[in-house]
């Protein structure tokens, strides 16, 4: 028996139930992790609230990220053994391979051995943010030395990952935040510059910071009215990667700016990398190198115990913290 978090209906954090359950042995292509830490994501809050792209089949597990020790391996698994310290690259099914609990069966090809310099908490907080940022910035935008990259929703874990990744390749990350409350924290977290959009004109500030050339890359999960000034801030031939729709307002299409600057606007999903084994291998290599060297280091904002999973969800839902929320098991 193991303690497992499930939901039996959609709703607020109170629907998260910690239950004693039998966990079956891993399938042939799976491993079983004795979970030590869980990284929380807003996608899990959305899933719980019935606002996500996947429907639950109740009672449902949930959870994308975890780190721990391998307790069992499937018959087809050859490169991972019991006792290995590992973390999970989030799979595409939040329920089938849910990680909230003491034991989790997960796809073996998405399991990574932890670098020795990472704690379980750091390992559990790494892979969603770094794979997301890598796929957009490195794989698709080909971010390189000398580039400027605009990062919106900059205090999110993916935003912080983008700063670190940009610096690894010699690019300059520019954070955009609504108020100055988080300005210093964003600079401390790796942003080279911070634009406070409530106080500063985004286009004027970007052009001043880039000596009039604009940013070649924009990494945006927001959309909405800010879409136009973002494109106006871009360099000729630049690329904007849209990986979310946090704004509740319509997103205008800046036709003349796109034409005049020959811009590329691309919708981007984390799933593009996880479902492509070759791209996934490149992501693993880059991210592991960064984690081992210290060029990539997840920032943990707050930790909760598994017994306090409801409080952890409430905190995640109510706050725009800088860094990741982690649950320890």
């Amino acid at each position: 028996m193991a303690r497992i978090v499930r939901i039996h209906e959609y709703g607020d954090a109170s629907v998260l139930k910690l239950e004693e359950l039998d966990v079956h042995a891993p399938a042939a292509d799976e491993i079983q992790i004795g979970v030590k830490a869980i990284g929380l994501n807003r996608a899990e809050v959305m899933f719980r609230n019935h606002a996500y792209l996947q429907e639950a089949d109740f009672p449902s597990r949930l959870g994308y990220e975890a780190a721990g020790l391998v307790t069992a391996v499937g018959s087809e698994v050859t490169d991972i053994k019991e006792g290995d310290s590992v973390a999970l690259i989030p799979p595409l099914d939040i329920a089938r391979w849910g990680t909230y609990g003491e034991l989790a069966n997960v796809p073996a090809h998405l399991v990574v051995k932890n670098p020795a310099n990472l704690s379980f908490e750091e390992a559990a907080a790494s892979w969603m943010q770094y794979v997301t940022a890598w796929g957009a910035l490195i794989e698709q935008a080909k971010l390189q030395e000398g580039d400027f990259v605009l990062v919106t929703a900059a205090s999110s874990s993916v935003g912080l990952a983008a700063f670190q990744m940009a610096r690894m390749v010699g690019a300059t990350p520019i954070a955009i935040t609504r108020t100055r409350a988080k300005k210093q924290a964003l600079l401390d977290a790796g942003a080279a510059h911070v634009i406070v959009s409530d106080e500063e004109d985004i286009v004027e500030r970007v052009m001043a910071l880039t000596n009039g050339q604009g940013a070649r890359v924009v990494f945006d999960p927001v959309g909405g009215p800010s879409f136009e000034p973002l494109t106006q801030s871009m360099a000729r031939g630049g690329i904007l990667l849209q990986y979310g729709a946090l704004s509740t307002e319509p997103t205008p299409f800046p036709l003349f700016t796109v034409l005049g600057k020959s811009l590329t606007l691309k919708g981007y999903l984390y799933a593009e990398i996880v479902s492509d084994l070759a791209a996934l291998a490149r992501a693993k290599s880059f991210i592991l190198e960064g984690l081992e060297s210290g060029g990539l280091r997840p920032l943990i904002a707050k930790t909760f115990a598994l017994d306090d999973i409801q409080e952890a969800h409430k905190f995640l839902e109510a706050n725009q913290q800088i860094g990741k929320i982690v649950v320890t098991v």
Side-chain angles (χ1 to χ4, degrees), residues 9 13 27 37 41 49 54 86 103 107 152 190 213 220 240:
E9 60 182 329
N41 296 280
N49 281 328
Q54 182 180 346
V86 298
L103 288 177
T152 66
Q213 73 180 66
D220 178 49
L240 183 152

Side-chain angles (χ1 to χ4, degrees), residues 39-45 64-65 90 100 128 157 316 324:
L40 301 194
N41 296 280
R42 294 194 183 277
E44 293 142 21
V45 172
Y64 271 132
E65 292 185 278
Y100 285 16
M128 176 69 90
S157 59
L316 180 60
K324 193 92 167 185

Side-chain angles (χ1 to χ4, degrees), residues 3 12 20 28 31 33-34 62 65-67 71 79 86 94 108 137 165 182 187 205 213 222-223 247 256 263 279 304:
R3 296 190 304 160
D12 63 21
E20 291 276 351
I31 71 157
I33 299 176
L62 71 165
E65 292 185 278
T71 57
D79 56 343
V86 298
I94 192 173
L137 300 182
M165 213 156 273
K182 298 178 182 177
L187 291 169
R205 188 84 173 97
Q213 73 180 66
V222 181
S247 175
F256 288 107
L263 301 180
F304 291 83

